[in-house]
Amino acid sequence: MTDEQTPAEDAAFEADDASQEIEALKLEVAALKDQALRALADAENTKRRAERESNDARAYAIQKFARDLLGVADNLSRATALSPRDSQDPAVTNYIIGVEMTEKELSGAFERNGLKKIDPTKGEKFDPHLHQAVMEQPSDEVAAGGVIQVLQAGYELMGRLVRPAMVAVAAKGSTGPGAPAEPTAGPNPYASNGADTGGAFDTKA
């Protein structure tokens, strides 16, 4: 404190310095907090990216293997569909049961590894992202654009389409449930309102 400064003036200068220092510290804390939040966000993004890449790698690694096994699943499905279930031969019955158990176990292995079957029901709306129309035919049981029959089941692996379901689709004009009604003729605005004009126009002003 100089001789010219009073104690009050000196206290004011010290308070001003302290206030500036506090403001500087607040700015520094805000900057550090922002850096910490950014670092946390980057770490979270890195974690998510690593998880996504890991899932992608896993999916791509088994995709070819899964696609190769689809033929096996198709053959087992055909075998069970065409098996003589009314056979009285115990050997044939046991054989059919074994094939069905094998198909069921293979289906379970698919599901456990993220490979899901795409098997639309009759009448389900055709989805170009999951289905492939191999034929189109008129139907009185399914509305236009609906699935009539599944010719070959499709599969998707962890949300990625491995093979679309091959389906027959109801053609335009099909009259199954849900089909739009045929438009009916509305009232003729030029028809007579009940008075018989004889077909002549009234030319009176």
Side-chain angles (χ1 to χ4, degrees):
M1 182 177 64
T2 62
D3 294 338
E4 291 82 7
Q5 287 179 324
T6 65
E9 291 175 339
D10 187 56
F13 282 126
E14 290 180 356
D16 186 57
D17 290 342
S19 177
Q20 292 179 0
E21 185 176 355
I22 290 172
E23 289 299 322
L25 290 173
K26 285 182 179 179
L27 292 175
E28 185 176 354
V29 168
L32 291 173
K33 184 178 180 180
D34 182 66
Q35 291 177 8
L37 290 175
R38 289 176 183 273
L40 184 62
D42 288 342
E44 187 65 24
N45 289 336
T46 301
K47 179 182 177 182
R48 291 178 180 174
R49 191 180 307 113
E51 290 177 352
R52 185 170 60 250
E53 291 175 353
S54 176
N55 291 335
D56 289 345
R58 179 171 177 264
Y60 288 129
I62 65 175
Q63 187 169 359
K64 183 180 183 302
F65 180 66
R67 189 181 292 114
D68 291 341
L69 284 178
L70 295 185
V72 178
D74 293 338
N75 288 332
L76 286 172
S77 180
R78 295 187 191 100
T80 55
L82 300 175
S83 58
R85 300 177 183 277
D86 56 351
S87 175
Q88 301 300 318
D89 189 341
V92 174
T93 301
N94 290 335
Y95 177 78
I96 294 172
I97 293 174
V99 173
E100 290 176 343
M101 290 177 64
T102 303
E103 182 187 20
K104 184 177 181 180
E105 184 63 28
L106 180 61
S107 177
F110 282 170
E111 291 184 4
R112 287 192 298 272
N113 288 277
L115 187 64
K116 295 183 179 180
K117 192 174 186 179
I118 303 172
D119 192 12
T121 57
K122 186 174 182 178
E124 185 176 330
K125 186 173 178 60
F126 175 79
D127 185 346
H129 300 291
L130 300 174
H131 311 150
Q132 180 177 340
V134 295
M135 67 173 65
E136 191 178 49
Q137 59 191 45
S139 173
D140 57 359
E141 297 180 349
V142 176
V147 174
I148 298 176
Q149 181 184 3
V150 179
L151 305 177
Q152 186 182 64
Y155 288 87
E156 60 179 356
L157 178 63
M158 297 179 182
R160 294 181 178 82
L161 187 66
V162 176
R163 186 181 75 183
M166 307 292 183
V167 299
V169 180
K172 185 178 181 180
S174 295
T175 58
E182 292 293 329
T184 56
N188 184 355
Y190 303 105
S192 171
N193 59 4
D196 185 5
T197 60
F201 291 99
D202 185 3
T203 57
K204 294 182 179 179

